[in-house]
Amino acid sequence: MSIVSVDDAAVRELRHGFEGRVILPRQEGYEEARALFNAMIDRHPAVIAQCASVGDVESAVRFGRDGGLTTAVRSGGHSVAGMSTVDDGLVVDVRNMKAIDVDPERRTVRCGAGVTWGELDAATQVHGLATTGGRVSTTGVAGFTLGGGSGWLERKHGLACDNLIAVELVTAASDLVRASESEHPELFWALHGGGGNFGVATAFELQLHPLGPTVLGGLMLWPGERGREVAEAVREEIAGGPDELALAVVYLTGPPEDFVPPELQGRLCCGLALLWAGPELGDGEPHARRLRELEPAVDLVGPMPYAELQRMIDDPPGLRNYWTADYLDELSDEAIDVFASHSERMPIPSACQAILFPWGGQVARVSPNDTPMARRDAEWVSHPFVLWESAADDERHLAWGRGISADLKPFTSGGVYLNFIGDEGQDRVRAAFGDGYDRLSRVKSLYDPDNFFHLNQNIRPAVVG
Ligand SMILES: Cc1cc2nc3c(=O)[nH]c(=O)nc-3n(C[C@H](O)[C@H](O)[C@H](O)COP(=O)(O)OP(=O)(O)OC[C@H]3O[C@@H](n4cnc5c(N)ncnc54)[C@H](O)[C@@H]3O)c2cc1C
């Protein structure tokens, strides 16, 4: 472990008037402050600037830039590739910027960039409102939304970024700008999936929609060998289904919970997750009823609080993570077969999951003028989600995750959703944006011409002139 020491005078100057905390190696709180969700990431920043205000963010960016420090931006800490931290550099950490202000009349929320989805859902659900958010409550609103934001409400209300009204952000020049349809419109477009490339977001304003607090949703589980039938049934149910219907197919280890029959605990299971996002719970029942005809061993689909559904698949931090993903134009029988065969070889017991999300609905009803994300008309997203405990098991788990992805390639469209992958290189970043990459690159050159913010799914600045 090498830890460079930064200039003391510069640190003193940063601390002067800083409302949050500037944490250096070996100081109290450093170990906790440097940890990310993915236990494979073990980096030692030279400085962690835990900002409490916009002024702190401006000072931190200036400090990083003037000191020539490689700078990462951290919010919820869920970057699976560890892009929100750095060895020997600066972390601009906004996790403590937690203000939430809901306007129930306008159905909008303004929140600080450190808010997690669990916190945002709790605040908006008081008013029976919600917006598309993470399926795991500890994920940060910031990284999630800037990267697109795929959640259970997406077929009805679009991705999280489609619900953006404005983003306030500090650019590489330490300027605070507000991006919306009428202010910095090109930047606003780029922030719909272009990630952390353009500055440090300090606040988000998002559109809300009536939902809950009680929704129809939950999980059904079958023994793993029934997985093909489950995937086929979900495919049939979602095809032409209303936008209110959200479904997913997931292979996982049967959890050691009372609601799981003993013979399925610790064994491979295939399940589905369902949410009905319409105003009348009863309208979702026919969908649940048809899926029940497969006689699940566990059936937890019923009325439940939306905020609880949003925590239904929460994983603990501190596990080792490898993720990848691909878009599929259709879910053919052959693709199901490949997906199922690999899932049947999932390391068991483990926290691994192999997931298929159907897209469509509002996700697909956007033009390239709305967001830079290419191939949003993909019908399905495959998402091997590999989690395990011990470094000694790395090889086996990585091989499983990579294998499922490699064998699914013939069925994929070439597009990818960047929030669901680690660091897979520039080709994948370009694949995620297609023709939109060049326009993003021009926006990057306006707001970050030196690529100061490069620890992300990086968009290289266009050479201007
Ligand atoms: C358990 C788990 C569940 C997930 N579920 C989903 C899901 O359902 N749907 C989905 O779409 N994605 C999901 N993700 C992926 C997640 O959306 C991305 O990893 C996202 O980047 C995490 O955001 P964060 O703020 O928590 O992460 P961080 O690690 O803090 O940040 C990740 C990156 O986002 C950028 N960033 C963060 N904060 C800021 C900021 N204030 N300003 C500018 N850039 C910033 C930076 O580039 C940073 O490197 C999940 C991730 C995990 C670990």
Side-chain angles (χ1 to χ4, degrees):
M1 174 178 88
S2 97
I3 298 180
V4 297
S5 63
V6 286
D7 180 47
D8 285 350
V11 172
R12 266 199 309 280
E13 196 183 318
L14 174 64
R15 282 197 165 128
H16 182 74
F18 200 84
E19 294 172 52
R21 277 190 77 202
V22 176
I23 308 174
L24 303 182
R26 289 180 276 276
Q27 284 184 339
E28 197 196 330
Y30 177 79
E31 287 304 313
E32 195 196 336
R34 75 180 184 87
L36 292 192
F37 182 87
N38 181 359
M40 290 180 95
I41 310 299
D42 181 25
R43 299 200 185 126
H44 294 82
V47 180
I48 301 173
Q50 283 195 336
C51 304
S53 65
V54 172
D56 283 358
V57 175
E58 290 168 338
S59 305
V61 169
R62 206 174 301 121
F63 170 81
R65 200 194 49 223
D66 293 352
L69 291 172
T70 306
T71 298
V73 183
R74 180 211 164 106
S75 180
H78 277 46
S79 163
V80 74
M83 290 171 175
S84 45
T85 188
V86 57
D87 273 329
D88 299 333
L90 166 70
V91 176
V92 181
D93 178 346
V94 298
R95 81 179 90 171
N96 293 328
M97 297 178 71
K98 293 280 193 195
I100 302 179
D101 189 6
V102 180
D103 183 337
E105 301 298 315
R106 289 175 58 226
R107 292 184 181 156
T108 62
V109 61
R110 182 179 190 283
C111 70
V115 168
T116 63
W117 279 104
E119 292 160 346
L120 198 78
D121 285 335
T124 58
Q125 279 292 279
V126 170
H127 305 280
L129 297 169
T131 195
T132 306
R135 298 179 179 91
V136 166
S137 66
T138 50
T139 314
V141 169
F144 175 93
T145 305
L146 294 171
S150 164
W152 298 122
L153 301 182
E154 65 201 5
R155 284 169 46 85
K156 174 77 176 153
H157 297 300
L159 301 175
C161 68
D162 301 330
N163 291 283
L164 275 174
I165 298 168
V167 181
E168 289 159 37
L169 113 170
V170 172
T171 66
S174 287
D175 295 330
L176 177 66
V177 300
R178 185 183 148 89
S180 67
E181 269 179 22
S182 57
E183 305 148 288
H184 298 267
E186 274 299 279
L187 174 62
F188 189 56
W189 170 83
L191 294 171
H192 286 66
N197 273 283
F198 307 96
V200 184
T202 56
F204 294 85
E205 217 176 300
L206 289 154
Q207 190 66 54
L208 300 171
H209 311 276
L211 185 85
T214 303
V215 294
L216 178 74
L219 291 169
M220 296 182 193
L221 283 184
W222 292 260
E225 57 271 21
R226 305 274 314 272
R228 287 173 176 76
E229 287 170 75
V230 176
E232 285 164 14
V234 169
R235 179 181 64 184
E236 194 175 321
E237 201 56 44
I238 206 79
D243 295 352
E244 286 79 3
L245 182 63
L247 285 167
V249 178
V250 54
Y251 278 89
L252 74 172
T253 302
E257 304 281 356
D258 289 346
F259 60 78
V260 179
E263 65 277 13
L264 287 189
Q265 294 184 17
R267 267 198 58 200
L268 181 74
C269 292
C270 183
L272 65 81
L274 180 149
L275 167 68
W276 176 253
E280 299 297 331
L281 271 54
D283 291 346
E285 272 298 345
H287 301 286
R289 205 163 43 239
R290 277 192 290 276
L291 293 161
R292 274 189 194 113
E293 285 170 11
L294 289 184
E295 297 180 355
V298 174
D299 180 3
L300 300 177
V301 173
M304 70 189 294
Y306 173 70
E308 194 178 304
L309 179 122
Q310 285 289 83
R311 294 191 297 266
M312 178 172 77
I313 56 169
D314 276 9
D315 293 304
L319 292 174
R320 301 172 77 78
N321 279 241
Y322 168 80
W323 300 17
T324 190
D326 281 294
Y327 290 153
L328 282 69
D329 283 337
E330 61 161 342
L331 188 64
S332 62
D333 289 347
E334 294 78 12
I336 290 179
D337 195 48
V338 170
F339 186 80
S341 319
H342 275 277
S343 299
E344 286 160 5
R345 299 197 292 273
M346 177 187 283
I348 292 287
S350 75
C352 294
Q353 296 170 16
I355 311 176
L356 288 167
F357 291 117
W359 268 15
Q362 201 55 40
V363 178
R365 285 185 213 111
V366 288
S367 82
N369 285 332
D370 300 318
T371 80
M373 297 169 68
R375 305 302 314 262
R376 285 185 50 163
D377 56 347
E379 294 212 346
W380 289 83
V381 184
S382 70
H383 184 24
F385 187 89
V386 192
L387 291 93
W388 67 104
E389 278 181 29
S390 160
D393 289 332
D394 281 4
E395 209 172 305
R396 186 164 66 105
H397 287 81
L398 291 170
W400 177 72
R402 289 179 179 143
I404 191 167
S405 170
D407 286 351
L408 270 181
K409 286 289 180 217
F411 307 98
T412 61
S413 70
V416 61
Y417 173 50
L418 292 176
N419 267 357
F420 281 170
I421 70 171
D423 185 357
E424 298 188 9
Q426 267 293 298
D427 287 351
R428 292 283 263 173
V429 177
R430 283 178 176 271
F433 299 117
D435 293 342
Y437 185 91
D438 289 344
R439 184 170 162 193
L440 281 172
S441 179
R442 287 193 295 275
V443 181
K444 176 85 172 170
S445 69
L446 290 176
Y447 293 91
D448 184 17
D450 300 325
N451 207 4
F452 175 69
F453 297 110
H454 62 271
L455 294 178
N456 43 43
Q457 302 285 6
N458 195 231
I459 294 154
R460 308 260 163 83
V463 179
V464 186

Tab-separated table of all heavy atoms in Angstrom, residues 267-298:
chain	number	residue	atom	x	y	z
A	267	ARG	N	-30.762	-24.124	-1.971
A	267	ARG	CA	-30.758	-24.796	-3.285
A	267	ARG	C	-30.988	-23.785	-4.397
A	267	ARG	O	-31.510	-22.697	-4.164
A	267	ARG	CB	-31.911	-25.805	-3.323
A	267	ARG	CG	-31.553	-27.199	-2.905
A	267	ARG	CD	-32.615	-28.170	-3.408
A	267	ARG	NE	-32.783	-28.132	-4.857
A	267	ARG	CZ	-33.865	-28.564	-5.497
A	267	ARG	NH1	-34.883	-29.084	-4.837
A	267	ARG	NH2	-33.957	-28.501	-6.826
A	268	LEU	N	-30.661	-24.161	-5.636
A	268	LEU	CA	-30.926	-23.252	-6.752
A	268	LEU	C	-32.436	-23.079	-6.937
A	268	LEU	O	-33.171	-24.072	-7.028
A	268	LEU	CB	-30.321	-23.801	-8.048
A	268	LEU	CG	-30.550	-22.870	-9.251
A	268	LEU	CD1	-29.654	-21.638	-9.162
A	268	LEU	CD2	-30.311	-23.600	-10.570
A	269	CYS	N	-32.857	-21.821	-6.987
A	269	CYS	CA	-34.264	-21.508	-7.245
A	269	CYS	C	-34.341	-20.597	-8.460
A	269	CYS	O	-33.372	-19.906	-8.792
A	269	CYS	CB	-34.873	-20.751	-6.069
A	269	CYS	SG	-35.030	-21.766	-4.601
A	270	CYS	N	-35.498	-20.606	-9.109
A	270	CYS	CA	-35.764	-19.592	-10.116
A	270	CYS	C	-36.993	-18.836	-9.643
A	270	CYS	O	-37.968	-19.450	-9.188
A	270	CYS	CB	-36.004	-20.190	-11.486
A	270	CYS	SG	-36.243	-18.888	-12.715
A	271	GLY	N	-36.930	-17.546	-9.730
A	271	GLY	CA	-38.052	-16.758	-9.248
A	271	GLY	C	-38.451	-15.689	-10.221
A	271	GLY	O	-37.818	-15.500	-11.265
A	272	LEU	N	-39.546	-15.018	-9.879
A	272	LEU	CA	-39.890	-13.801	-10.598
A	272	LEU	C	-40.211	-12.730	-9.580
A	272	LEU	O	-40.634	-13.018	-8.457
A	272	LEU	CB	-41.048	-14.020	-11.579
A	272	LEU	CG	-42.431	-14.384	-11.030
A	272	LEU	CD1	-43.201	-13.161	-10.544
A	272	LEU	CD2	-43.230	-15.074	-12.148
A	273	ALA	N	-39.949	-11.493	-9.994
A	273	ALA	CA	-40.366	-10.344	-9.200
A	273	ALA	C	-41.436	-9.631	-10.005
A	273	ALA	O	-41.340	-9.550	-11.237
A	273	ALA	CB	-39.181	-9.417	-8.954
A	274	LEU	N	-42.463	-9.153	-9.315
A	274	LEU	CA	-43.575	-8.481	-9.994
A	274	LEU	C	-43.904	-7.192	-9.267
A	274	LEU	O	-43.889	-7.144	-8.030
A	274	LEU	CB	-44.793	-9.412	-10.007
A	274	LEU	CG	-46.083	-8.924	-10.673
A	274	LEU	CD1	-46.851	-10.104	-11.278
A	274	LEU	CD2	-47.002	-8.145	-9.740
A	275	LEU	N	-44.190	-6.155	-10.039
A	275	LEU	CA	-44.787	-4.931	-9.483
A	275	LEU	C	-45.862	-4.464	-10.442
A	275	LEU	O	-45.629	-4.389	-11.659
A	275	LEU	CB	-43.743	-3.822	-9.309
A	275	LEU	CG	-44.358	-2.432	-9.026
A	275	LEU	CD1	-45.016	-2.388	-7.650
A	275	LEU	CD2	-43.334	-1.331	-9.142
A	276	TRP	N	-47.017	-4.175	-9.890
A	276	TRP	CA	-48.072	-3.522	-10.673
A	276	TRP	C	-48.037	-2.036	-10.314
A	276	TRP	O	-48.264	-1.661	-9.160
A	276	TRP	CB	-49.433	-4.144	-10.351
A	276	TRP	CG	-50.545	-3.436	-11.060
A	276	TRP	CD1	-51.464	-2.606	-10.526
A	276	TRP	CD2	-50.825	-3.503	-12.474
A	276	TRP	NE1	-52.300	-2.126	-11.500
A	276	TRP	CE2	-51.932	-2.661	-12.708
A	276	TRP	CE3	-50.239	-4.166	-13.550
A	276	TRP	CZ2	-52.469	-2.483	-13.977
A	276	TRP	CZ3	-50.784	-3.983	-14.821
A	276	TRP	CH2	-51.883	-3.159	-15.021
A	277	ALA	N	-47.724	-1.180	-11.281
A	277	ALA	CA	-47.525	0.250	-11.002
A	277	ALA	C	-48.761	1.081	-11.338
A	277	ALA	O	-48.675	2.298	-11.482
A	277	ALA	CB	-46.312	0.765	-11.774
A	278	GLY	N	-49.926	0.419	-11.436
A	278	GLY	CA	-51.158	1.162	-11.743
A	278	GLY	C	-51.892	1.563	-10.479
A	278	GLY	O	-51.589	1.074	-9.387
A	279	PRO	N	-52.895	2.464	-10.620
A	279	PRO	CA	-53.613	2.967	-9.445
A	279	PRO	C	-54.496	1.912	-8.781
A	279	PRO	O	-54.671	1.923	-7.558
A	279	PRO	CB	-54.464	4.115	-9.999
A	279	PRO	CG	-54.528	3.907	-11.476
A	279	PRO	CD	-53.318	3.119	-11.864
A	280	GLU	N	-55.053	0.995	-9.565
A	280	GLU	CA	-55.933	-0.040	-9.005
A	280	GLU	C	-55.152	-1.341	-8.861
A	280	GLU	O	-54.779	-1.952	-9.863
A	280	GLU	CB	-57.143	-0.281	-9.927
A	280	GLU	CG	-58.031	0.931	-10.134
A	280	GLU	CD	-58.660	1.385	-8.824
A	280	GLU	OE1	-58.882	0.539	-7.935
A	280	GLU	OE2	-58.890	2.606	-8.695
A	281	LEU	N	-54.974	-1.777	-7.628
A	281	LEU	CA	-54.210	-3.009	-7.394
A	281	LEU	C	-54.866	-4.194	-8.106
A	281	LEU	O	-54.187	-5.071	-8.648
A	281	LEU	CB	-54.116	-3.298	-5.898
A	281	LEU	CG	-52.932	-2.694	-5.140
A	281	LEU	CD1	-52.822	-1.201	-5.321
A	281	LEU	CD2	-53.002	-3.051	-3.662
A	282	GLY	N	-56.196	-4.188	-8.106
A	282	GLY	CA	-56.938	-5.309	-8.692
A	282	GLY	C	-56.620	-5.501	-10.171
A	282	GLY	O	-56.707	-6.622	-10.690
A	283	ASP	N	-56.245	-4.417	-10.865
A	283	ASP	CA	-55.946	-4.544	-12.296
A	283	ASP	C	-54.679	-5.348	-12.537
A	283	ASP	O	-54.432	-5.832	-13.647
A	283	ASP	CB	-55.789	-3.153	-12.933
A	283	ASP	CG	-57.111	-2.403	-12.980
A	283	ASP	OD1	-58.163	-3.051	-12.765
A	283	ASP	OD2	-57.085	-1.180	-13.196
A	284	GLY	N	-53.842	-5.456	-11.513
A	284	GLY	CA	-52.619	-6.239	-11.666
A	284	GLY	C	-52.833	-7.716	-11.355
A	284	GLY	O	-52.027	-8.572	-11.755
A	285	GLU	N	-53.929	-8.003	-10.670
A	285	GLU	CA	-54.168	-9.382	-10.215
A	285	GLU	C	-54.198	-10.424	-11.334
A	285	GLU	O	-53.637	-11.511	-11.181
A	285	GLU	CB	-55.467	-9.459	-9.399
A	285	GLU	CG	-55.301	-9.181	-7.916
A	285	GLU	CD	-54.387	-10.195	-7.225
A	285	GLU	OE1	-54.104	-11.262	-7.807
A	285	GLU	OE2	-53.931	-9.888	-6.113
A	286	PRO	N	-54.864	-10.119	-12.485
A	286	PRO	CA	-54.900	-11.147	-13.536
A	286	PRO	C	-53.496	-11.588	-13.970
A	286	PRO	O	-53.281	-12.754	-14.300
A	286	PRO	CB	-55.641	-10.466	-14.688
A	286	PRO	CG	-56.436	-9.390	-14.045
A	286	PRO	CD	-55.658	-8.941	-12.839
A	287	HIS	N	-52.550	-10.657	-13.943
A	287	HIS	CA	-51.174	-11.011	-14.341
A	287	HIS	C	-50.575	-11.970	-13.309
A	287	HIS	O	-49.984	-12.997	-13.654
A	287	HIS	CB	-50.315	-9.751	-14.466
A	287	HIS	CG	-50.848	-8.776	-15.464
A	287	HIS	ND1	-50.749	-8.975	-16.811
A	287	HIS	CD2	-51.531	-7.607	-15.305
A	287	HIS	CE1	-51.322	-7.964	-17.452
A	287	HIS	NE2	-51.806	-7.135	-16.553
A	288	ALA	N	-50.760	-11.630	-12.034
A	288	ALA	CA	-50.232	-12.492	-10.969
A	288	ALA	C	-50.923	-13.857	-11.034
A	288	ALA	O	-50.272	-14.900	-10.880
A	288	ALA	CB	-50.460	-11.834	-9.617
A	289	ARG	N	-52.227	-13.831	-11.311
A	289	ARG	CA	-52.986	-15.096	-11.324
A	289	ARG	C	-52.452	-16.033	-12.408
A	289	ARG	O	-52.246	-17.219	-12.177
A	289	ARG	CB	-54.470	-14.778	-11.555
A	289	ARG	CG	-55.398	-15.824	-11.010
A	289	ARG	CD	-56.828	-15.357	-10.861
A	289	ARG	NE	-57.340	-14.575	-11.958
A	289	ARG	CZ	-57.800	-13.334	-11.828
A	289	ARG	NH1	-57.799	-12.730	-10.650
A	289	ARG	NH2	-58.275	-12.689	-12.882
A	290	ARG	N	-52.215	-15.473	-13.584
A	290	ARG	CA	-51.731	-16.334	-14.683
A	290	ARG	C	-50.358	-16.929	-14.332
A	290	ARG	O	-50.091	-18.089	-14.611
A	290	ARG	CB	-51.652	-15.538	-15.989
A	290	ARG	CG	-53.005	-15.465	-16.700
A	290	ARG	CD	-52.856	-14.938	-18.117
A	290	ARG	NE	-52.511	-13.530	-18.148
A	290	ARG	CZ	-53.398	-12.534	-18.061
A	290	ARG	NH1	-54.686	-12.797	-17.941
A	290	ARG	NH2	-53.006	-11.270	-18.103
A	291	LEU	N	-49.510	-16.132	-13.698
A	291	LEU	CA	-48.174	-16.639	-13.340
A	291	LEU	C	-48.277	-17.686	-12.227
A	291	LEU	O	-47.484	-18.626	-12.167
A	291	LEU	CB	-47.260	-15.481	-12.949
A	291	LEU	CG	-46.942	-14.563	-14.154
A	291	LEU	CD1	-46.437	-13.201	-13.692
A	291	LEU	CD2	-45.931	-15.225	-15.095
A	292	ARG	N	-49.293	-17.543	-11.387
A	292	ARG	CA	-49.511	-18.535	-10.306
A	292	ARG	C	-49.913	-19.896	-10.847
A	292	ARG	O	-49.829	-20.891	-10.146
A	292	ARG	CB	-50.636	-18.059	-9.393
A	292	ARG	CG	-50.160	-17.166	-8.326
A	292	ARG	CD	-51.216	-16.856	-7.300
A	292	ARG	NE	-50.705	-15.736	-6.529
A	292	ARG	CZ	-51.227	-14.525	-6.531
A	292	ARG	NH1	-52.330	-14.270	-7.209
A	292	ARG	NH2	-50.654	-13.576	-5.824
A	293	GLU	N	-50.384	-19.914	-12.096
A	293	GLU	CA	-50.780	-21.215	-12.659
A	293	GLU	C	-49.579	-22.157	-12.715
A	293	GLU	O	-49.742	-23.370	-12.813
A	293	GLU	CB	-51.396	-21.022	-14.054
A	293	GLU	CG	-52.809	-20.463	-13.955
A	293	GLU	CD	-53.373	-20.034	-15.305
A	293	GLU	OE1	-52.760	-20.364	-16.337
A	293	GLU	OE2	-54.419	-19.356	-15.300
A	294	LEU	N	-48.364	-21.588	-12.632
A	294	LEU	CA	-47.157	-22.444	-12.603
A	294	LEU	C	-46.900	-23.002	-11.207
A	294	LEU	O	-45.879	-23.664	-10.987
A	294	LEU	CB	-45.923	-21.651	-13.054
A	294	LEU	CG	-45.801	-21.260	-14.513
A	294	LEU	CD1	-44.464	-20.570	-14.752
A	294	LEU	CD2	-45.911	-22.471	-15.436
A	295	GLU	N	-47.804	-22.720	-10.287
A	295	GLU	CA	-47.749	-23.265	-8.919
A	295	GLU	C	-46.390	-23.026	-8.241
A	295	GLU	O	-45.609	-23.962	-7.997
A	295	GLU	CB	-48.087	-24.757	-8.926
A	295	GLU	CG	-49.510	-24.979	-9.407
A	295	GLU	CD	-49.893	-26.452	-9.444
A	295	GLU	OE1	-49.032	-27.308	-9.182
A	295	GLU	OE2	-51.057	-26.710	-9.730
A	296	PRO	N	-46.135	-21.779	-7.908
A	296	PRO	CA	-44.864	-21.470	-7.222
A	296	PRO	C	-44.801	-22.130	-5.856
A	296	PRO	O	-45.818	-22.290	-5.184
A	296	PRO	CB	-44.899	-19.943	-7.083
A	296	PRO	CG	-46.336	-19.555	-7.243
A	296	PRO	CD	-46.977	-20.581	-8.113
A	297	ALA	N	-43.579	-22.482	-5.448
A	297	ALA	CA	-43.373	-23.043	-4.109
A	297	ALA	C	-43.446	-21.936	-3.057
A	297	ALA	O	-43.746	-22.185	-1.896
A	297	ALA	CB	-42.005	-23.725	-4.051
A	298	VAL	N	-43.131	-20.715	-3.480
A	298	VAL	CA	-43.241	-19.548	-2.603
A	298	VAL	C	-44.006	-18.493	-3.382
A	298	VAL	O	-43.672	-18.220	-4.542
A	298	VAL	CB	-41.836	-18.983	-2.250
A	298	VAL	CG1	-41.955	-17.692	-1.452
A	298	VAL	CG2	-41.011	-20.017	-1.505
